Amino acid sequence: MTHKIILDTDPGIDDAMAILFAEAHPAIELLAITTVFGNATIENGTHNALWLKQQYGMKADVAQGAVAPLRREPVGPTTVVHGPSGFGDVTAGEVTLAPDPRPAWQYIVEAVKAAPGEITLVTIGPLTNLALALQAAPEIAGLVKQVVVMGGAFGVNGHRGNVTPYAEANIHDDPDAADRVFTARWPVVIIGLDVTQQSFFSSAYLDALRDDAGEPGRFLWDVSRFYLRFYSERIGLDGCHVHDPSAIAYVIDPTLFTLRAGPVRVISDGPAIGHTLQKFDGKSHPHDEWADHPDQQVGVAVRDQALLALYRETLVAWGRSR
């Protein structure tokens, strides 16, 4: 079975890991890459996406998206994690390609309407483009196959936040957009820190990928150097968590994850801004801002070794075939 996806991304380092994973796996048809602010500026992120398309001969369209959040003050690109232009020590070279002339939200709306029930939206950055698409055409909620989000943290497995004590970066960047996406009546699967921080690309794993996966493996090794320095200096880990590629892994093989159902809301102001909260107990309350919203699925467990094997096998096979 082939999964048609539009990948909404803020191309930083683990975004590149996810983009190549999606391009490499035969079960994924990567229709488009839509860009959003986040790990990099919108200009750098779009340049990075176009460079990857050019470098690896991708058929996917690239459409540039939102430059800033819906309402909150922008927090700025996460250069401390992803470097000055998003790819750490690597600078994407000259690009001769141009993005699609439509803004990302419009591209999403038109693509979904042209293929009702067929397209999965996978988002691995702030959710602004999806919120804008919903705002312009609420009916797409009934036309999307599913929405898979890398974002959020629900306190499962001890994981609560990575940019504040209670917020994950993608949601913190635009909490209003996230709340709109999570409360819309389309099927959402949230692959958050609760599971992405349970999987780990060790430095030895990335060394083996460099040696065995051809040019893509060498690129992923190069681009991960800055990322691994951050993890070593700030967190004391010899490697990195598998954030964005986990969303692609879910699309390929949902059995890798255990999910929990319940409506999800996002805190949009104050010290807990960006905090994601799921009601999953089914209890009745006199005041309940979750009750009228649809159940969404949150990842609470992952078969991490199987996920790591899937990623490695996919990249090695693709790298050797090039």
Side-chain angles (χ1 to χ4, degrees):
M1 180 180 180
T2 301
H3 305 278
K4 296 179 179 180
I5 75 168
I6 294 174
L7 182 55
D8 192 68
T9 171
D10 53 341
I13 294 166
D14 58 331
D15 300 76
M17 295 173 172
I19 291 168
L20 294 195
F21 190 18
E23 176 68 14
H25 200 280
I28 298 284
E29 182 181 352
L30 183 57
L31 301 176
I33 298 167
T34 52
T35 62
V36 66
F37 71 94
N39 293 329
T41 64
I42 193 65
E43 294 80 13
N44 284 336
T46 303
H47 182 86
N48 290 344
L50 287 167
W51 184 82
L52 288 175
K53 174 179 176 172
Q54 178 176 282
Q55 189 78 354
Y56 293 100
M58 298 178 182
K59 296 178 181 178
D61 295 327
V62 174
Q64 181 167 299
V67 67
L70 296 179
R71 185 177 63 91
R72 73 160 301 170
E73 283 296 312
V75 299
T78 49
T79 54
V80 67
V81 183
H82 296 273
S85 62
F87 280 175
D89 299 322
V90 175
T91 301
E94 183 180 352
V95 170
T96 59
L97 305 175
D100 189 277
R102 293 166 286 181
W105 69 261
Q106 183 181 352
Y107 185 99
I108 291 168
V109 168
E110 293 181 6
V112 168
K113 287 185 173 182
E118 296 182 20
I119 294 177
T120 294
L121 302 179
V122 182
T123 178
I124 55 177
L127 293 162
T128 317
N129 289 333
L130 271 66
L132 291 172
L134 277 172
Q135 179 177 297
E139 65 272 20
I140 66 169
L143 301 175
V144 167
K145 183 178 179 181
Q146 66 176 339
V147 180
V148 179
V149 175
M150 189 278 123
F154 296 85
V156 181
N157 304 313
H159 305 302
R160 289 177 293 276
N162 61 358
V163 292
T164 81
Y166 291 97
E168 180 275 332
N170 290 338
I171 309 304
H172 185 259
D173 273 351
D174 195 342
D176 299 282
D179 194 60
R180 291 188 193 184
V181 170
F182 294 160
T183 57
R185 294 197 173 275
W186 54 10
V188 178
V189 177
I190 304 170
I191 303 297
L193 301 185
D194 313 272
V195 286
T196 67
Q197 290 187 336
Q198 296 293 102
S199 299
F200 185 69
F201 284 157
S202 68
S203 60
Y205 179 99
L206 292 167
D207 287 351
L209 209 60
R210 172 200 60 196
D211 296 340
D212 300 337
E215 194 282 330
R218 291 190 291 276
F219 166 71
L220 290 174
W221 189 89
D222 288 341
V223 82
S224 68
R225 297 306 90 192
F226 190 98
Y227 207 40
L228 263 61
R229 286 201 302 275
F230 169 81
Y231 270 87
S232 175
E233 293 167 5
R234 296 297 182 95
I235 308 174
L237 294 177
D238 182 26
C240 61
H241 295 129
V242 186
H243 293 306
D244 293 346
S246 292
I248 302 299
Y250 175 82
V251 177
I252 297 167
D253 183 4
T255 70
L256 292 170
F257 298 87
T258 302
L259 305 179
R260 184 181 72 188
V264 175
R265 300 303 307 268
V266 182
I267 304 299
S268 58
D269 289 290
I273 187 170
H275 186 28
T276 48
L277 294 162
Q278 183 185 40
K279 179 186 176 184
F280 54 88
D281 57 13
K283 292 180 180 178
S284 177
H285 301 271
H287 307 284
D288 192 337
E289 295 293 332
W290 284 257
D292 293 334
H293 297 291
D295 282 358
Q296 307 294 14
Q297 303 290 331
V298 169
V300 295
V302 58
R303 295 192 290 121
D304 61 308
Q305 294 306 306
L307 188 156
L308 295 177
L310 173 65
Y311 191 88
R312 173 180 163 77
E313 290 162 6
T314 301
L315 269 294
V316 168
W318 186 55
R320 288 177 175 175
S321 70
R322 292 178 55 78

